[in-house]
Amino acid sequence: MRPAQSLRANQEHPVIFITARDEEAFETRGLELGAIDYITKPFRPPIVRARVKNLLAREELRQKVDELRRQFTAMIVHDLRSPLTVIRGFAEMAMDDNGPDAKENRTSALQRVIDNADRARLLVDQMLDLSQLQAGKVRLRRVPTDFTKLLRNIVRDHMVLARSKRIGLEESIAANLRATVDPAKIAETLANLIGNALKFTPAGGRITLAGDADAAGTMCVKVSDTGTGIPPDILGRLFSPWEHAASPMRQTLKSYGLGLAICKMIVEARGGDISVESVPGSGTTFSFRLPPG
């Protein structure tokens, strides 16, 4: 195999051709063999150095993205393995139990199977949502919506879980709010924010969903809790799934799942913005704003 023909087989380093042959066919052939760039003589050294610098920077970025994707994939696989292991374990328990309390034990085991199947399905759904949002394949609907009713329904839907955790779930929602939104996606955003608040608020704590509109018609929504709070050094990374994979605080970040990255994409796709404020030990407030129209 000639050296040029081995470029495809060894892409450890980017390759640039510098040659006196400026025919289009030779340039095409060089790029097809795997060269990153093709420079013909006579050339100017400062330009070549600048191209080399840019190409090396691009290659470094590509390698970093590849590594983040690898870590992210490993994180997802790890998170899926846990509920699948529980599902298998309790399914085997239900099959093998022939004792006097078999019926009761099977009911309990099957409920655990259902709960963990739901966890696995939620993770898969979030991965698909994230992938489609990143690719711009999800187009938000724009439906005139009773925003007050939407917010109150979200509170109602989470009330049972909040009570089971002995957490107060309150609302401070203005009457007669109207907005043009995708109701399903906004409901998904709010469910993610309240779900995280429930996860990190201890028994006896309080969560509040507030909604209002300013004089210009911008919708303002806040989910506040009296939970454990978030360390300042990781606040800025909460909305990025790639940072979740690479961060040394991964266990803390991972606990928030992919939901916050999805929330950010949904809100920004509607032209809004989302932010977070937190005091460790005192609680956290997630806020998002949606422009009118």
Side-chain angles (χ1 to χ4, degrees), residues 200 229-231 234 238 248-257:
F200 292 100
I230 305 168
I234 66 172
L238 282 176
M249 297 292 291
R250 193 183 111 179
Q251 291 304 315
T252 301
L253 286 165
K254 188 181 69 173
S255 297
Y256 286 89

Side-chain angles (χ1 to χ4, degrees), residues 192-229:
N192 274 317
L193 297 179
I194 293 178
N196 278 329
L198 287 168
K199 186 187 301 183
F200 292 100
T201 301
R206 185 179 68 258
I207 298 170
T208 303
L209 173 60
D212 204 348
D214 64 17
T218 298
M219 204 63 58
C220 308
V221 181
K222 295 184 178 182
V223 176
S224 303
D225 65 59
T226 59
T228 56

Side-chain angles (χ1 to χ4, degrees), residues 42-87:
F43 60 84
R44 296 171 61 185
I47 292 178
V48 174
R49 284 195 291 270
R51 285 194 180 186
V52 169
K53 182 178 179 180
N54 289 340
L55 290 169
L56 289 175
R58 283 168 50 192
E59 178 66 14
E60 182 179 357
L61 179 60
R62 183 191 66 79
Q63 292 178 359
K64 181 179 179 180
V65 169
D66 286 347
E67 176 62 16
L68 286 173
R69 288 183 184 275
R70 186 193 66 77
Q71 293 179 5
F72 185 65
T73 300
M75 184 185 76
I76 295 300
V77 170
H78 177 272
D79 287 354
L80 273 174
R81 181 181 290 124
S82 176
L84 291 175
T85 300
V86 173
I87 288 170

Side-chain angles (χ1 to χ4, degrees), residues 19 25 28 31 38 79 92 104 117-118 129 158 175 197 204 208 233 241 264:
T19 177
T28 301
L31 296 174
Y38 191 99
D79 287 354
E92 290 176 346
E104 181 179 345
D118 287 343
D129 275 353
H158 289 81
T208 303
D233 59 321
K264 183 174 187 292

Side-chain angles (χ1 to χ4, degrees), residues 4-236:
Q5 292 177 320
S6 68
L7 290 180
R8 282 185 184 276
N10 183 6
Q11 284 289 291
E12 184 178 352
H13 303 290
V15 174
I16 300 175
F17 275 120
I18 298 181
T19 177
R21 308 185 75 165
D22 61 355
E23 295 93 334
E24 184 177 326
F26 285 103
E27 181 176 354
T28 301
R29 180 59 176 154
L31 296 174
E32 287 176 346
L33 288 169
I36 301 298
D37 203 352
Y38 191 99
I39 301 174
T40 58
K41 297 178 181 179
F43 60 84
R44 296 171 61 185
I47 292 178
V48 174
R49 284 195 291 270
R51 285 194 180 186
V52 169
K53 182 178 179 180
N54 289 340
L55 290 169
L56 289 175
R58 283 168 50 192
E59 178 66 14
E60 182 179 357
L61 179 60
R62 183 191 66 79
Q63 292 178 359
K64 181 179 179 180
V65 169
D66 286 347
E67 176 62 16
L68 286 173
R69 288 183 184 275
R70 186 193 66 77
Q71 293 179 5
F72 185 65
T73 300
M75 184 185 76
I76 295 300
V77 170
H78 177 272
D79 287 354
L80 273 174
R81 181 181 290 124
S82 176
L84 291 175
T85 300
V86 173
I87 288 170
R88 181 177 179 84
F90 277 94
E92 290 176 346
M93 180 186 300
M95 290 178 63
D96 295 340
D97 191 345
N98 295 310
D101 299 323
K103 183 177 180 180
E104 181 179 345
N105 291 340
R106 285 195 183 103
T107 299
S108 176
L110 290 174
Q111 185 59 54
R112 293 295 300 275
V113 167
I114 291 170
D115 291 344
N116 281 275
D118 287 343
R119 282 179 56 199
R121 184 180 63 182
L122 175 61
L123 183 58
V124 171
D125 288 346
Q126 288 182 332
M127 290 169 61
L128 291 173
D129 275 353
L130 185 63
S131 176
Q132 290 178 332
L133 285 163
Q134 287 178 323
K137 293 181 179 179
V138 174
R139 301 188 65 177
L140 301 185
R141 297 185 301 147
R142 298 175 73 89
V143 180
T145 301
D146 183 337
F147 208 72
T148 295
K149 182 178 179 180
L150 188 153
L151 296 180
R152 287 176 176 167
N153 284 343
I154 290 294
V155 173
R156 181 199 64 195
D157 291 345
H158 289 81
M159 191 63 73
V160 172
L161 180 57
R163 286 173 178 166
S164 72
K165 291 176 171 285
R166 293 187 291 117
I167 296 170
L169 179 55
E170 305 168 356
E171 63 174 64
S172 177
I173 302 168
N176 302 317
L177 295 176
R178 304 289 302 181
T180 302
V181 295
D182 185 325
K185 289 301 180 185
I186 295 301
E188 179 181 354
T189 299
L190 289 165
N192 274 317
L193 297 179
I194 293 178
N196 278 329
L198 287 168
K199 186 187 301 183
F200 292 100
T201 301
R206 185 179 68 258
I207 298 170
T208 303
L209 173 60
D212 204 348
D214 64 17
T218 298
M219 204 63 58
C220 308
V221 181
K222 295 184 178 182
V223 176
S224 303
D225 65 59
T226 59
T228 56
I230 305 168
D233 59 321
I234 66 172
L235 275 178

